Amino acid sequence: MSVKSFVFLALLAGVAVVAAACSDREKTSDDDEPLDGPFDSPYTGAELADRIQRAIDAEGAYTISARQENFVLPQWGGADSGTVAVGREDGRVTAAANLFRTGDGEYSLWLRSGQTFFKRSTCDALARVPGGGGEVLSPFVFLGNDRIRGATGLKAATGRTTLILVLDGLGETEISFRPGTFLPNQLSSRTATNNGKPLVWTFEKWGEQPKLSPSSEAFSKAYDRGPGGNPC
């Protein structure tokens, strides 16, 4: 091999090493899913909770992809995996969800003007949870309610991008977050479901408001009925 050829190959190898290093840096940027550590947090649990709560409120909307089995919702019963989008409209919390009701079927749910409406996937009629049912989707709501900031048992996990806390309805919970923005990445609990199986909620679509697809007229004409039973 000539000296020129050797130098040329060495230069190519150097370029490859630099490219690989750049690629590795790109994979660990704040735009990608963060690893849950190592992270040497300079914050107390209360300080982390405050920063996470402020980050959520500043975004104003998010979607949760829920992995769960038989997680009991108020005035509803067990709910299996699905998605819940949460946001604000005219200063009030709104939400749109698609969840499988445990042992029943798939439902679409909407929180609008403090009331919960729903439609089973096999039905055409839109119904309202009796009495309004404003609390049905409340476990998924972390906007403007100081729910994280006001939780108990606040503790920064050692060496991890994780806040440990105790939340009403979810028990002891871990929230992993992005160290650059403090926005939650995942929430997990091993005590929330009735069957003892883990619950994992992944946060995504920050800033995207939920779509309340039925018309205002359809909401106004919805009749009161509980889920289940004769679905239509």
Side-chain angles (χ1 to χ4, degrees), residues 7-214:
V7 172
F8 178 73
L9 290 175
L11 287 172
L12 284 179
V15 169
V17 169
V18 171
C22 290
S23 177
D24 287 342
R25 285 197 296 271
E26 289 170 1
K27 289 179 182 178
T28 58
S29 70
D30 284 342
D31 294 332
D32 296 322
E33 295 297 319
L35 295 174
D36 185 15
F39 179 69
D40 186 15
S41 174
Y43 308 106
T44 65
E47 289 170 337
L48 276 181
D50 177 68
R51 282 163 172 77
I52 291 171
Q53 187 70 68
R54 281 191 284 142
I56 293 173
D57 290 342
E59 288 292 332
Y62 57 85
T63 294
I64 288 174
S65 290
R67 179 162 56 86
Q68 61 192 34
E69 291 182 31
N70 198 24
F71 175 57
V72 177
L73 300 175
Q75 289 185 260
W76 185 261
D80 298 341
S81 299
T83 60
V84 184
V86 179
R88 287 196 187 103
E89 183 179 75
D90 297 329
R92 302 192 71 166
V93 172
T94 62
N98 287 290
L99 296 168
F100 195 97
R101 189 167 182 267
T102 306
D104 182 359
E106 186 177 354
Y107 284 80
S108 294
L109 300 94
W110 298 272
L111 173 63
R112 182 177 185 271
S113 301
Q115 303 175 82
T116 300
F117 303 83
F118 67 90
K119 186 172 78 69
R120 199 176 192 271
S121 61
T122 56
C123 303
D124 294 326
L126 184 68
R128 187 187 80 145
V129 174
E135 297 299 308
V136 172
L137 295 174
S138 61
F140 301 97
V141 177
F142 297 94
L143 273 176
N145 53 11
D146 275 350
R147 192 166 164 216
I148 294 174
R149 187 185 287 116
T152 60
L154 296 169
K155 183 171 63 174
T158 303
R160 300 164 57 202
T161 53
T162 297
L163 172 69
I164 300 171
L165 65 168
V166 178
L167 286 168
D168 289 343
L170 289 168
E172 185 170 300
T173 306
E174 291 191 354
I175 297 178
S176 65
F177 59 91
R178 298 174 182 273
T181 63
F182 295 98
L183 288 172
N185 179 47
Q186 280 191 338
L187 176 153
S188 61
S189 171
R190 294 188 177 275
T191 61
T193 57
N194 272 4
N195 54 13
K197 293 188 177 180
L199 170 151
V200 178
W201 293 350
T202 301
F203 290 80
E204 54 192 2
K205 299 181 180 178
W206 289 101
E208 292 188 26
Q209 295 291 331
K211 296 178 175 59
L212 304 180
S213 54

